[in-house]
Amino acid sequence: MTKTEKTNKKIKATPEPTLRRLPRYLHLLKFLRETGDKSVSSTYIAKELGFDPTQVRKDIEYTGIVGRPKTGFNIVELISSIEEFLNWKNITDAFLVGTGSLGTAMLGYGRFKDYGLNFVAAFDNNEMKIGKTIHETPVLSMEKLVDLAKRMHINIGVITVPAFAAQHSADLLIEGGIRAIWNFAPIHLKVPEGVLVENAQLTQSLAVLTHKLADAISKD
Amino acid sequence: MTKTEKTNKKIKATPEPTLRRLPRYLHLLKFLRETGDKSVSSTYIAKELGFDPTQVRKDIEYTGIVGRPKTGFNIVELISSIEEFLNWKNITDAFLVGTGSLGTAMLGYGRFKDYGLNFVAAFDNNEMKIGKTIHETPVLSMEKLVDLAKRMHINIGVITVPAFAAQHSADLLIEGGIRAIWNFAPIHLKVPEGVLVENAQLTQSLAVLTHKLADAISKD
DNA sequence: TCCTTATCGAGAATTTTATATCGAGAAAAA
DNA sequence: TTTTTCTCGATATAAAATTCTCGATAAGGA
């Protein structure tokens, strides 16, 4: 590869493993900020979280910040850089579909604004819930979803309905012009090209745990 | 590497990506079982979930089942094989710490037995909650956690407390002899060697979504 | 001022994970 | 029966992610 070709290389998309680690750095960094520390090294972060220092540096590099030898990274700057990179500084309005126990819990978790998410409305089919509010978020009829999503230019939809209803919920969100879906239903959603789906399925995480545990116990 | 060395290679641990995909196969397979289908090919699974057929076959291989040319895999057998592999057939008793909105939602989700988990008790510091039950699970004082975990030989602890209380909860669970922690608090837990921690942090999943969405929108 | 130490960041090497290729075998069609 | 088609599973290749190596550089002593 010539030098010119090297210069022309397109910017690589951020690896997903990197994206998943960044929030973990962020939590640690916010903790360190409280303690009054001004800077932190990749070595320290790595030891604290059980990663490799080079990996931490490479991850941080994606966010666009530069460190300095001997001292490392400025904590405040690094926090800002990660939040910026994840787009957690621009609070995005979102719809939540399904106000069962998980949906209710999510509406009750007051911190999503720290992660760039703001629930402006929730939707449900249950007549008992429509018209009420859950933790200050109004619950509306599903029939209003498409039109309202269009008018409000909503980009993110969160699906917390049971599996059988998930595809229909997704279809409505997409019809309403949604760009990204955070799916908690244990099912694979079929969506047109251009619509992002992130599956937050707990069972995936649980699978890792139960398998490894069984493995560990079998070795006792 | 000589042939002998090759033969002596130790059995590799299952890759985490594989463990995360297996539950997705399982959900699809259970759906197919309902429709009455008897067998399914890796090609079909792959197309349905957007994976590569070879990858699906490799994943399935880990669970120990063999398919047959032209028809693929027996659905019932495959379901059983995956569940066995993830240890979801042996229901494991678990403690849940923290009965806030998320903890309550989890106790309310009646399906964890399908994933090998059974909540036998929940713990909280809130005097108002102690002594009551949430969806049939008794809520006990944190003071009883260690002793009860020891006596009941509990292996899995689920942490759904706020971040500031998570490490203390983990310490108690570990003192009680727990082997694996499913952590929902946005914090890195420090645990001794041998204790498994699986972070189910929603923020990690959300980071992937918000970053990619911002990226996609910026390209419009 | 010079020396020692800790760290970054670039690039190489390694490991892990994903995808492609292809022979063999089973089912269905001819 | 023979041919065609589809799929598995073994092996090879490619891509992605992680880890190692090392020169450069800033900070804090000696």
Side-chain angles (χ1 to χ4, degrees):
Chain A
M1 194 185 259
T2 71
K3 225 166 194 167
T4 318
E5 276 168 337
K6 240 181 177 168
T7 314
N8 291 349
K9 73 168 178 238
K10 57 169 174 279
I11 311 106
K12 276 205 309 257
T14 315
E16 262 196 43
T18 294
L19 291 175
R20 290 186 191 283
R21 282 187 296 265
L22 288 174
R24 304 193 57 182
Y25 302 157
L26 200 53
H27 291 133
L28 175 63
L29 291 165
K30 285 182 174 176
F31 172 77
L32 293 174
R33 184 177 55 183
E34 301 306 308
T35 69
D37 293 7
K38 291 291 170 246
S39 62
V40 67
S41 70
S42 63
T43 318
Y44 181 85
I45 297 175
K47 203 183 319 175
E48 203 66 15
L49 302 183
F51 297 139
D52 182 275
T54 309
Q55 182 173 70
V56 174
R57 281 201 293 279
K58 279 217 152 61
D59 287 344
I60 288 174
E61 202 181 350
Y62 279 100
T63 73
I65 208 174
V66 294
R68 43 186 357 216
K70 186 76 179 181
T71 51
F73 301 87
N74 179 289
I75 290 177
V76 173
E77 276 179 27
L78 186 47
I79 288 174
S80 181
S81 181
I82 294 175
E83 286 182 337
E84 189 78 51
F85 186 70
L86 297 176
N87 199 33
W88 285 359
K89 290 190 160 184
N90 302 313
I91 313 292
T92 307
D93 284 345
F95 278 2
L96 182 139
V97 189
T99 58
S101 50
L102 180 59
T104 302
M106 296 203 46
L107 293 174
Y109 180 66
R111 292 265 170 67
F112 276 120
K113 283 202 183 71
D114 292 350
Y115 308 109
L117 214 60
N118 178 42
F119 291 117
V120 290
F123 297 85
D124 209 301
N125 267 331
N126 188 333
E127 297 285 345
M128 308 287 286
K129 292 178 175 174
I130 295 167
K132 307 202 168 155
T133 67
I134 297 178
H135 297 103
E136 276 125 66
T137 307
V139 181
L140 309 175
S141 161
M142 294 287 281
E143 283 160 21
K144 297 191 174 166
L145 197 159
V146 175
D147 190 51
L148 210 52
K150 278 181 187 163
R151 285 200 285 138
M152 296 181 76
H153 300 289
I154 300 295
N155 278 329
I156 296 183
V158 181
I159 293 182
T160 50
V161 301
F164 72 87
Q167 184 63 56
H168 181 241
S169 303
D171 293 344
L172 292 179
L173 288 166
I174 291 161
E175 199 186 332
I178 232 105
R179 303 284 302 266
I181 293 175
W182 199 15
N183 176 40
F184 285 78
I187 196 175
H188 177 76
L189 297 176
K190 289 181 182 166
V191 302
E193 187 131 357
V195 174
L196 290 167
V197 177
E198 170 67 20
N199 293 296
Q201 295 163 19
L202 300 184
T203 55
Q204 290 175 27
S205 167
L206 189 55
V208 177
L209 190 75
T210 54
H211 174 77
K212 285 188 180 170
L213 177 59
D215 209 42
I217 287 176
S218 76
K219 279 173 185 156
D220 283 351
Chain B
M1 192 185 259
T2 69
K3 221 156 193 178
T4 317
E5 277 168 336
K6 239 180 178 169
T7 314
N8 290 349
K9 74 173 178 234
K10 58 171 172 279
I11 311 104
K12 276 206 307 260
T14 315
E16 261 196 46
T18 293
L19 290 175
R20 289 185 193 284
R21 283 188 295 265
L22 289 174
R24 304 193 56 182
Y25 302 158
L26 200 53
H27 291 131
L28 175 62
L29 291 165
K30 284 182 175 175
F31 171 77
L32 292 175
R33 185 178 53 182
E34 301 306 308
T35 69
D37 293 6
K38 291 289 169 250
S39 62
V40 67
S41 70
S42 63
T43 319
Y44 180 84
I45 296 175
K47 203 182 322 173
E48 204 65 16
L49 302 183
F51 297 138
D52 183 276
T54 309
Q55 183 174 70
V56 174
R57 281 201 293 278
K58 277 216 152 60
D59 288 343
I60 289 174
E61 202 181 350
Y62 278 100
T63 73
I65 207 174
V66 294
R68 47 186 352 217
K70 185 77 177 183
T71 50
F73 301 86
N74 178 289
I75 291 177
V76 173
E77 276 179 27
L78 186 47
I79 289 173
S80 180
S81 181
I82 294 175
E83 286 182 337
E84 188 78 51
F85 186 70
L86 297 176
N87 199 35
W88 285 359
K89 290 191 159 183
N90 303 313
I91 313 292
T92 307
D93 284 343
F95 277 3
L96 182 139
V97 189
T99 57
S101 50
L102 180 59
T104 302
M106 295 199 52
L107 293 174
Y109 180 66
R111 294 264 172 66
F112 276 119
K113 283 203 183 71
D114 292 350
Y115 308 109
L117 215 59
N118 179 42
F119 292 117
V120 290
F123 297 84
D124 208 301
N125 267 330
N126 188 332
E127 297 286 346
M128 307 288 286
K129 293 178 174 173
I130 295 167
K132 306 201 168 158
T133 67
I134 297 178
H135 296 104
E136 276 126 66
T137 307
V139 180
L140 308 175
S141 162
M142 294 287 281
E143 284 160 21
K144 297 191 173 167
L145 197 159
V146 176
D147 190 51
L148 210 53
K150 279 181 187 164
R151 284 199 286 139
M152 296 181 76
H153 299 289
I154 301 294
N155 278 328
I156 296 183
V158 180
I159 293 182
T160 51
V161 301
F164 72 87
Q167 184 63 56
H168 181 240
S169 303
D171 294 344
L172 292 179
L173 288 166
I174 290 161
E175 199 185 332
I178 232 106
R179 301 286 301 267
I181 293 175
W182 199 16
N183 175 39
F184 285 78
I187 196 175
H188 177 76
L189 297 176
K190 287 182 184 164
V191 302
E193 187 131 356
V195 175
L196 290 167
V197 177
E198 171 67 19
N199 293 294
Q201 294 164 20
L202 300 184
T203 57
Q204 291 175 27
S205 167
L206 189 55
V208 177
L209 191 75
T210 55
H211 173 77
K212 286 188 180 170
L213 177 60
D215 209 44
I217 287 176
S218 76
K219 280 173 184 155
D220 283 350

